[in-house]
């Protein structure tokens, strides 16, 4: 289920960006990688504790995302979404190559805090303490993000700015700032997933390549732009992948795509999505 926590955070960030801004951000996996590297270099160069990195790294990477949005992506709004996809794909290649030059292709390990090492007895099974911590943090962040987008006045303004930006601007609301902050928050969610993933894998420039493919599949299954769908599908498919590893490991990485094909055939808008014409 810990992998489901990573999927949910990444899919949530991707869904927030696509649902609010209609931007297909292929660089989302790269932001996940930058979150892990911000954690690693924060510890190596600044002796930044892991718990501080949970806040600092998403803020730093989110600020980088805001810089990309204001200098590059903003110029493509109103054009075919394919242009955003191509631009973010190019950014992925450039940023990954820069990180290979800086950190090398193999990357480096990052250890979890001593307080989160070991196992915990859940009553019915023993479970790694760090993975339990990841699941709890992901659940809290996902619930908070859902509430902000779906229930808070800020979320209502963002949704209104997406549906009718001219009317919202006429009411005196700065829609450009809302768009920029939304993109930065979506990127910060990907970076937070990277921070949580750093102790579980080797921190390397290509670590976002494979997981972004799964993330796109999860967003499609949950419903494009659906915040709740991304959260539920992320956790559910993480569990499904884990069960696949237990019962028949060769198919575990393919299960998500089998589910995606079934969902597209039976419900093209996704499990929690709405058809484009009903928006």
């Amino acid at each position: 289920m810990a992998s489901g926590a990573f999927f949910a955070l990444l899919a949530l960030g991707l869904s927030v960006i696509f649902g609010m801004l209609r931007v297909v951000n292929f660089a989302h996996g790269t932001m996940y990688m930058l979150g892990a590297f911000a954690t690693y270099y924060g510890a190596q160069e600044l002796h930044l504790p892991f718990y501080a990195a949970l806040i600092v790294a998403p803020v730093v990477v989110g600020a980088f995302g805001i810089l990309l949005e204001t200098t590059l992506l903003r110029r493509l709004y109103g054009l075919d979404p394919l242009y955003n996809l191509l631009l973010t794909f190019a950014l992925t290649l450039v940023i990954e190559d820069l990180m290979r030059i800086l950190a090398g292709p193999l990357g480096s390990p990052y250890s979890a805090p001593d307080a989160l090492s070991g196992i915990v007895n859940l009553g019915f099974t023993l479970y790694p303490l760090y993975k339990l911590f990841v699941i709890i943090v992901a659940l809290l962040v996902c619930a908070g993000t859902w509430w902000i987008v779906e229930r808070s006045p800020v979320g209502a303004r963002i949704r209104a700015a997406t549906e009718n930006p001219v009317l919202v601007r006429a009411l005196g609301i700065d829609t450009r700032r809302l768009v920029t902050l939304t993109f930065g928050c979506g990127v910060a969610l990907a970076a937070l997933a990277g921070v949580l993933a750093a102790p579980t894998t080797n921190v390397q420039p290509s670590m976002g390549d494979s997981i972004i493919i799964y993330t796109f599949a999860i967003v499609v299954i949950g419903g494009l732009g659906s915040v709740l769908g991304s959260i539920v599908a992320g956790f559910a498919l993480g569990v499904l992948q884990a069960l696949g590893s237990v019962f028949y490991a060769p198919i575990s990485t393919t299960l998500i795509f089998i589910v995606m094909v079934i969902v597209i055939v039976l419900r093209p808008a996704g499990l929690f999505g709405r058809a484009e014409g009903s928006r």
Side-chain angles (χ1 to χ4, degrees):
M1 191 166 176
S3 60
F6 299 134
F7 289 153
L9 282 174
L10 280 163
L12 179 60
L14 199 62
S15 190
V16 165
I17 292 174
F18 180 81
M20 303 297 124
L21 313 181
R22 295 293 185 271
V23 171
V24 182
N25 183 20
F26 199 86
H28 207 61
T30 304
M31 302 303 155
Y32 163 81
M33 175 267 290
L34 289 179
F37 268 109
T39 305
Y40 173 76
Y41 281 115
Q44 293 295 316
E45 304 296 334
L46 304 173
H47 304 291
L48 187 70
F50 173 76
Y51 302 108
L54 287 171
I55 297 174
V56 174
V59 169
V60 171
V61 180
F64 179 61
I66 287 175
L67 177 65
L68 293 179
E69 194 276 336
T70 53
T71 57
L72 298 175
L73 286 170
R74 182 176 293 178
R75 301 171 184 272
L76 304 181
Y77 291 157
L79 301 179
D80 191 308
L82 181 62
Y83 289 96
N84 286 316
L85 178 63
L86 292 174
L87 174 62
T88 53
F89 180 68
L91 287 172
T92 297
L93 298 179
V94 171
I95 294 172
E96 279 194 12
D97 279 348
L98 288 175
M99 291 308 300
R100 284 192 182 91
I101 295 172
L102 179 65
L106 300 180
S108 304
Y110 178 87
S111 300
D114 293 338
L116 296 176
S117 61
I119 58 175
V120 60
N121 189 348
L122 298 179
F124 58 92
T125 186
L126 299 176
Y127 200 75
L129 180 58
Y130 182 75
K131 290 187 176 181
L132 183 63
F133 173 79
V134 168
I135 293 169
I136 292 172
V137 171
L139 284 172
L140 291 175
V141 172
C142 287
T145 304
W146 175 85
W147 184 86
I148 291 173
V149 173
E150 300 292 343
R151 294 288 184 267
S152 74
V154 173
R157 290 183 180 184
I158 293 173
R159 296 198 307 276
T162 303
E163 298 295 332
N164 197 333
V166 176
L167 178 60
V168 173
R169 279 197 295 270
L171 296 174
I173 297 174
D174 188 345
T175 57
R176 180 171 291 189
R177 181 179 297 177
L178 278 178
V179 167
T180 301
L181 289 176
T182 302
F183 188 85
C185 289
V187 168
L189 287 170
L192 176 61
V195 176
L196 293 170
T200 67
T201 183
N202 207 35
V203 179
Q204 55 182 315
S206 62
M207 63 184 288
D209 291 351
S210 58
I211 200 167
I212 190 60
I213 303 300
Y214 293 121
T215 304
F216 272 115
I218 289 167
V219 170
V220 171
I221 292 168
L224 289 173
S226 170
V227 171
L228 181 60
S230 297
I231 297 171
V232 173
F235 277 104
L237 292 172
V239 172
L240 181 66
Q241 191 180 52
L243 291 175
S245 300
V246 172
F247 292 105
Y248 189 59
I251 203 173
S252 63
T253 56
T254 313
L255 276 174
I256 291 177
F257 302 105
I258 294 174
V259 174
M260 184 183 74
V261 170
I262 294 172
V263 169
I264 288 176
V265 171
L266 299 179
R267 188 175 168 80
L271 297 177
F272 292 82
R274 292 178 296 171
E276 191 64 29
S278 64
R279 291 177 185 277

